[in-house]
Each structure stands twice: as structure tokens, then as C-alpha cells.
Amino acid sequence: MKVLSLFTTTALLSVVGLSSAAETDNYVYGKDPKKDAEYDVSMGMAGIQQAVQDPKMLAQLFQDMQDPELMAEAKKMMESPDWKKKMKDLTNDKAFKNNIESVKKTMDDPNEAAKMQAKMEHMMKTGSKELHNDAKDTMASAMEAMGDPETMAEAARMMKDPQFQQQLSQMAKDPSFKKYVNAMQDMMQDPSTKAQMDQMADSFRSAL
């Protein structure tokens, strides 16, 4: 997968320590555009570093990358003069240049590149499964809550609100919402769960 190869390279680059990273803990965002850019770079690199070690976070990162709105915001941020200046300063850093050379050597070695590729693919598979299981747990909790008549009535009331309907419609377009749809489809393969859902749907229609 090409995208995983690209991510492997990015992940290796992320091991470069940013001198400003330790200073971001107490930083108040929004006061200084220049420092905001430095904070964004530091947090972005830190996020990639963490994702490389966390399968679920890695899978979530790739899901987020499918969200047009998030990617538009990322593009806007990276086109800002402050961001570009920070990245220019970073790429001129001696440690960064040395790290790039190390990365290049690693990726030029077919065996090492294959190992990293296999590791990323395994982590993606594991992380996606964890996200799917989390979504199933969330949907199961929602179903349990809907068994309460008061909760059912409140849900029916909300569904009559045009503003809520609009929000729900917008939510359905969010790529991350797909995992809940997939989880429900998976759960519906179980006859008892399907019967429960059918009964709940009938009760919900009656409450509308």
C-alpha cells in the first residue's frame, strides 16, 4: 500500500526531537501566530510518533485523513507563512538532516523497507479491528439505553427537531461515522440482536 509506505517514511522522520516540544505544555494557544505554528509542528510530530506505537491511534489517523474538512484545515494551516517558516527552520537543522540521511538509507534497503511496511500493515489491521470493536461496544450501549422508555421518548422528541435532523444528516457524511454503521451491520448478523433492533425500531416509530 503506497500510503503506508509514505507513512512509514513520515513516522521515521518523526523521531527527530523538536526543541520546542518540551515548552508546549504550558503554552496558551492563540496569542502568537509564530508560536502557534511551532506548537502545531511539535504536536503534529508528537502525534505521529505516538501513532507509530499505537495501532488504534494509527488506524484513527488514517480515518481522519479521509475527512475532507480535517484535511482542508490541515492544508490551510500548512500554507500559513508561520508554519512554512517553522518547517524551513526545521529542515535546516543539522540533526534533522542527519535523520533524513538515516531514513533514506533505511528505506533504500529492501529488507528494512519491507519490515517497516509489514509492521505498519499489521498495526493498521490490528488498530482497525480495535476501532470496530469500540464502535460495537458503543452501539451496544446505545441499544441498551434505548430500552428505557424515557430515553426512547427523548430520542423521538429530538428526531422531530429539524435542527437535529440537519445535524444528524451532516454527521452521516462524516467518514468516521461509517465505523458505527459497519458495527451495526455486523451486529445485525446475530438473529437475537436483529430481533431486538426490529422491536426497538417498531417502538421508536410508535413514539414518533
Side-chain angles (χ1 to χ4, degrees):
M1 295 173 65
K2 184 178 179 181
V3 69
L4 287 179
S5 295
L6 292 173
F7 183 82
T8 300
T9 303
T10 305
L12 289 172
L13 289 173
S14 74
V15 300
V16 176
L18 298 179
S19 59
S20 60
E23 302 172 2
T24 59
D25 292 343
N26 299 319
Y27 178 65
V28 179
Y29 196 89
K31 289 187 175 182
D32 186 334
K34 182 179 179 180
K35 289 187 177 180
D36 285 349
E38 294 177 359
Y39 180 90
D40 290 334
V41 172
S42 298
M43 292 299 98
M45 288 294 187
I48 292 174
Q49 269 189 318
Q50 191 172 353
V52 173
Q53 302 172 24
D54 187 332
K56 186 161 65 173
M57 184 176 287
L58 177 65
Q60 185 62 59
L61 175 63
F62 272 87
Q63 284 192 11
D64 291 343
M65 288 172 65
Q66 297 173 33
D67 186 329
E69 291 186 7
L70 283 178
M71 295 310 295
E73 280 297 314
K75 182 181 178 182
K76 181 180 177 181
M77 179 179 66
M78 288 187 288
E79 288 176 346
S80 72
D82 291 307
W83 172 278
K84 289 180 179 179
K85 184 179 184 305
K86 178 60 181 176
M87 290 306 297
K88 183 178 180 180
D89 292 341
L90 180 63
T91 54
N92 287 332
D93 181 80
K94 183 177 180 180
F96 188 85
K97 289 181 178 180
N98 290 338
N99 193 70
I100 287 181
E101 287 301 316
S102 177
V103 168
K104 187 176 184 302
K105 290 180 180 179
T106 299
M107 300 310 293
D108 285 344
D109 183 331
N111 291 329
E112 290 300 318
K115 288 179 183 178
M116 290 300 296
Q117 183 79 2
K119 179 182 177 181
M120 288 296 106
E121 290 182 356
H122 175 71
M123 288 182 66
M124 277 289 292
K125 183 177 180 179
T126 301
S128 295
K129 185 176 181 179
E130 289 181 7
L131 287 177
H132 182 69
N133 289 337
D134 285 351
K136 286 179 68 174
D137 290 341
T138 299
M139 296 306 295
S141 297
M143 287 176 60
E144 184 177 351
M146 289 294 283
D148 177 33
E150 291 186 6
T151 302
M152 177 72 76
E154 178 62 18
R157 184 191 66 76
M158 293 174 65
M159 283 301 297
K160 294 176 183 178
D161 182 354
Q163 185 176 356
F164 180 75
Q165 292 177 10
Q166 185 177 3
Q167 292 175 346
L168 195 62
S169 177
Q170 190 66 31
M171 187 187 303
K173 298 177 183 178
D174 188 333
S176 63
F177 188 76
K178 185 179 179 181
K179 63 186 177 185
Y180 296 105
V181 175
N182 291 339
M184 181 55 69
Q185 290 176 342
D186 190 20
M187 293 168 68
M188 290 288 281
Q189 299 300 313
D190 177 44
S192 61
T193 301
K194 186 177 185 306
Q196 184 181 355
M197 279 297 298
D198 290 341
Q199 182 179 3
M200 192 177 299
D202 290 341
S203 299
F204 189 73
R205 281 192 289 268
S206 299
L208 287 175

